[in-house]
Amino acid sequence: MKRRDLLTTGIKGGLGLAGLGTGIIGAPAIVLAEGRRPEAVSGVMSGDVLTDRAMLWSRADRPAIMQVDISKTPDFAQFRRLPPVAVLPETGLVGKLDATGLAGWDHLYYRVRFQSPGDHRALSAPVAGSLPLPPTTARNVRFVWSGDVAGQGWGIDESRGGMTIFETMRKARPDFFLHSGDTVYADGPMEERVALEDGSVWQNVVTPAKQKVAETLEEYRGQHAYNLLDANVRALYADVPMLAQWDDHETVNNWYPGELLDDDRYREKNVSLLSARARQAFVEFTPTRLSSSAPDRLYRRFPYGPGLEVFMLDMRSYRGPNSANVQTSSSPATDFLGKTQFDWLKQALLDSSATWKIIAADMPVGLVVADGDHFEAIANRDDGAPKGRELELARLLRFIRDNAIQNVVWFTADVHYTAAHHYSPERAAFKAFTPFWEFVSGPLHAGTFGPGELDATFGPKVVFQKAPPDGQKNLPPSRGYQFFGQVDLDGESEALTVTLKDSAGTALHRQVLTPTRA
């Protein structure tokens, strides 16, 4: 086999990156190319993991060729080099790769380099990442979830350690991170300095993209690139695969398809156009796998062994307009998931053999989320029979009950505080459903608000909540009201333990759920 072929296939680690000290991709070559070589400017990340594949991601500072090596071991004694990916301005200088053929792997280690096109000596230093792969047999599984990053003017303050909650989550060593939306705040410009009540100053790292509302594709890309400036964020993403969903602030606050903005900050008023640009940036800057048969679809599912499966929803793209939300019959105006996604979810729940069905929702079930005089989420503050968007939820809950689909648990963020809610027909105006839990967490790094008001239609009860004291809102991350949740599946008993935590990792509330057997 020719030396060039060995380099391409990476059959022997001895001929790999470290062993070729004077070769094509060795250290001296990098020195010679100093100043011409690209750099990996946003770290690496992985996500949308299945038992035999995973999406891998990185970003360069200029047009380049992305090279990715994967291995079962951290020393890369044996590795496989994946096909190269062209990293171009047309994709935001992002490189994404679907690493396949991983069946039987417990752990994936990968390293990324960028090569200057036409100059094989101009090669970046490697950036490494790793991730656990989902099990095919029973074992313990842990994941963390939350949402809401860099909102309400609270960005990266390096003098305070940056977005430290991401490091707290990384230290929990989860199998994956479920990002429940508002991954960026494209509608929230930042100031460099914000005076705090205690007399100190919050000092934001500020980029040009964060100084105005995002309208162009490049400005939306800049929102995502900003969060990746934080070392804590990059460290988590290098070690933990992410399942990412979007909500409103990736585009603009409380948006819905077809909306026309009445906001002087925007030159472009057509929200459908803005959301198309925002969606492209979201897909580029997250390790999201798109289906070739449905390239616009962001809802998807991820099994984690026999014990757990995640169903990720898109509650933004198919909804009707925000309204008074009190319609008495179903129509496109009352859609929240939309018919195609609604039918997909029903069939996916029926098909799932997992003990626990995790519904990842970017908005809460029973909390009232106002949009001026209208409503942004499902609830409508009318405690009686389902109306408006509640009609769609009622059909779903009835379907789950009638088909004896057991152990459905809802996880969400969005409202900027943390809570555990139990829903039961004995307390509800609508009674045709099986009791279920909803857990709320967030923000990860944004202003803290709440608590919210619960609509009684589906019989919710607050079992726990933590929010700012009465009369206080938009508290900065330095006040400690930043939250995430941790979920632990016991591989033997299949008990599911949900722990609500703060940014220091302190357990605030723990709920142990025992599975119902058919």
Side-chain angles (χ1 to χ4, degrees):
M1 185 176 289
K2 294 180 180 179
R3 187 168 183 268
R4 177 181 176 185
D5 294 331
L6 283 169
L7 290 172
T8 302
T9 58
I11 289 177
K12 292 186 178 181
L15 292 177
L17 303 173
L20 290 170
T22 57
I24 293 176
I25 54 176
I30 291 176
V31 172
L32 289 172
E34 195 67 50
R36 303 196 307 272
R37 60 176 177 154
E39 293 184 19
V41 291
S42 297
V44 294
M45 69 175 88
S46 64
D48 280 20
V49 184
L50 300 171
T51 55
D52 62 346
R53 65 198 310 165
M55 293 296 295
L56 305 179
W57 182 101
S58 191
R59 177 170 168 260
D61 66 339
R62 67 192 74 179
I65 304 299
M66 186 172 81
Q67 299 178 355
V68 180
D69 297 328
I70 62 173
S71 176
K72 293 182 178 181
T73 59
D75 61 4
F76 287 83
Q78 291 185 323
F79 67 88
R80 172 157 54 100
R81 178 159 294 175
L82 302 180
V85 175
V87 174
L88 302 172
E90 289 78 4
T91 58
L93 299 176
V94 163
K96 292 175 65 172
L97 195 61
D98 198 352
T100 59
L102 308 179
W105 291 36
D106 294 324
H107 216 96
L108 169 66
Y109 298 89
Y110 64 100
R111 58 190 175 191
V112 176
R113 289 176 185 258
F114 290 102
Q115 177 190 307
S116 179
D119 187 351
H120 61 261
R121 298 183 304 168
L123 196 68
S124 72
V127 181
S130 65
L131 65 144
L133 290 161
T136 56
T137 58
R139 73 161 170 84
N140 295 349
V141 174
R142 169 177 292 176
F143 72 90
V144 294
W145 96 93
S146 189
D148 318 312
V149 183
Q152 290 73 50
W154 309 112
I156 302 168
D157 185 341
E158 294 181 338
S159 69
R160 300 174 188 267
M163 302 184 189
T164 58
I165 194 170
F166 284 84
E167 175 63 10
T168 305
M169 291 192 297
R170 189 188 71 85
K171 287 180 177 177
R173 300 179 61 84
D175 286 271
F176 63 94
F177 165 44
L178 171 58
H179 202 315
S180 299
D182 290 341
T183 55
V184 299
Y185 278 73
D187 55 347
M190 289 181 180
E191 301 291 336
E192 290 187 19
R193 296 169 58 84
V194 182
L196 303 183
E197 290 184 355
D198 64 2
S200 66
V201 174
W202 186 275
Q203 302 181 61
N204 283 316
V205 172
V206 176
T207 64
K210 296 301 295 185
Q211 293 179 310
K212 70 176 293 291
V213 296
E215 299 177 81
T216 68
L217 175 57
E218 281 303 314
E219 288 168 349
Y220 281 113
R221 286 169 172 165
Q223 302 295 319
H224 293 272
Y226 176 82
N227 291 352
L228 294 170
L229 294 174
D230 185 85
N232 305 287
V233 173
R234 294 196 307 274
L236 174 74
Y237 290 170
D239 283 354
V240 180
M242 175 170 59
L243 309 181
Q245 62 189 155
W246 76 341
D247 191 30
D248 57 333
H249 290 286
E250 286 84 357
T251 304
V252 62
N253 186 44
N254 294 350
W255 74 272
Y256 53 83
E259 181 183 7
L260 295 177
L261 286 179
D262 181 15
D263 188 330
D264 292 339
R265 300 178 302 166
Y266 288 83
R267 295 182 179 179
E268 178 56 64
K269 308 292 188 180
N270 186 332
V271 173
S272 292
L273 178 56
L274 292 174
S275 67
R277 294 168 178 166
R279 183 190 177 283
Q280 179 173 336
F282 171 80
V283 170
E284 288 173 346
F285 276 79
T286 59
T288 301
R289 179 187 295 108
L290 297 181
S291 168
S292 59
S293 60
D296 293 329
R297 194 179 81 185
L298 293 177
Y299 55 90
R300 52 214 195 274
R301 59 191 286 195
F302 299 97
Y304 268 79
L308 185 150
E309 185 165 8
V310 180
F311 303 87
M312 301 191 67
L313 304 184
D314 176 0
M315 292 175 156
R316 188 57 54 179
S317 301
Y318 311 103
R319 61 167 61 194
N322 293 348
S323 70
N325 201 25
V326 291
Q327 299 90 338
T328 56
S329 60
S330 297
S331 72
T334 65
D335 281 350
F336 204 59
L337 300 179
K339 184 181 186 307
T340 301
Q341 181 178 196
F342 185 83
D343 291 344
W344 167 85
L345 178 59
K346 290 194 301 181
Q347 191 61 51
L349 290 170
L350 274 179
D351 293 343
S352 178
S353 61
T355 301
W356 292 99
K357 288 83 173 173
I358 305 299
I359 296 187
D362 46 286
M363 297 209 76
V365 169
L367 282 168
V368 175
V369 183
D371 180 18
D373 294 332
H374 292 164
F375 293 94
E376 156 75 350
I378 299 170
N380 57 16
R381 201 178 274 125
D382 181 338
D383 294 337
K387 296 183 180 69
R389 291 167 175 165
E390 294 174 337
L391 294 168
E392 186 185 74
L393 177 62
R395 296 199 310 273
L396 176 62
L397 295 180
R398 185 192 297 270
F399 175 84
I400 291 171
R401 186 203 66 173
D402 291 351
N403 288 274
I405 300 171
Q406 306 289 351
N407 309 312
V408 176
V409 188
W410 295 68
F411 292 86
T412 190
D414 184 68
V415 290
H416 295 237
Y417 71 99
T418 189
H421 300 148
H422 184 257
Y423 293 78
S424 178
E426 67 185 15
R427 297 185 294 265
F430 175 79
K431 298 183 179 299
F433 69 97
T434 304
F436 65 94
W437 285 89
E438 174 189 54
F439 296 97
V440 183
S441 199
L444 280 166
H445 191 89
T448 314
F449 297 86
E453 173 190 355
L454 279 168
D455 182 305
T457 298
F458 300 104
K461 179 177 72 173
V462 176
V463 177
F464 173 83
Q465 64 184 17
K466 185 167 184 180
D470 290 344
Q472 298 187 36
K473 61 182 180 179
N474 195 19
L475 299 188
S478 55
R479 288 289 300 274
Y481 288 88
Q482 309 287 291
F483 307 107
F484 72 97
Q486 177 179 307
V487 182
D488 288 281
L489 171 71
D490 185 281
E492 183 176 349
S493 70
E494 293 197 310
L496 196 74
T497 301
V498 182
T499 308
L500 303 179
K501 294 187 170 185
D502 64 16
S503 56
T506 304
L508 307 173
H509 176 75
R510 182 172 287 113
Q511 197 75 43
V512 180
L513 309 182
T514 303
T516 299
R517 306 296 182 181

